Amino acid sequence: MTTAITVSERAARRIGEILKDEGDGAMLRISVEGGGCSGFQYKFDVDRARAEDDLVISRDGAVVLVDPASVPFLAGSEVDFVDDLIGASFRVVNPNATASCGCGTSFSI
């Protein structure tokens, strides 16, 4: 299994738009926390501090941080951005998830 975490072109474009409004030094942090209706949930935050052991993903000027505790849960995942009838949101396509909720923000492994 790969540990790589990727960011789609659409997600990188949207992250860049969000971070541009946040000022210099802003990065998107993605983490996994316990909770949600399926056991784990994704959390997206704007952060200005990068820890030494963070995984740093850069694409097209967008910078994404993942803390080391979240990396195993996200290994092999792609972060995408979708804009459909139910709304616009980031979606994590996670090969480790055995089940997820209808809105896609929580999952189980």
Side-chain angles (χ1 to χ4, degrees):
M1 178 176 63
T2 181
T3 58
I5 301 167
T6 58
V7 175
S8 73
E9 182 180 344
R10 286 184 305 229
R13 189 177 323 114
R14 183 64 183 131
I15 292 166
E17 292 168 0
I18 292 168
L19 296 180
K20 182 174 52 174
D21 294 338
E22 294 293 327
D24 291 342
M27 298 166 277
L28 181 71
R29 179 173 294 281
I30 301 174
S31 56
V32 174
E33 298 181 335
C37 53
S38 295
F40 295 99
Q41 61 189 358
Y42 303 111
K43 184 176 179 189
F44 298 88
D45 291 304
V46 174
D47 201 340
R48 291 190 177 349
R50 174 184 165 207
E52 188 175 303
D53 56 354
D54 279 340
L55 172 66
V56 179
I57 306 160
S58 296
R59 179 167 184 176
D60 302 331
V63 179
V64 176
L65 305 174
V66 181
D67 65 89
S70 298
V71 169
F73 294 102
L74 294 168
S77 295
E78 179 183 48
V79 179
D80 196 10
F81 181 76
V82 294
D83 190 356
D84 56 23
L85 291 175
I86 61 171
S89 63
F90 289 105
R91 298 258 169 89
V92 178
V93 181
N94 189 339
N96 305 304
T98 57
S100 63
C101 66
C103 64
T105 59
S106 69
F107 66 102
S108 60
I109 53 175

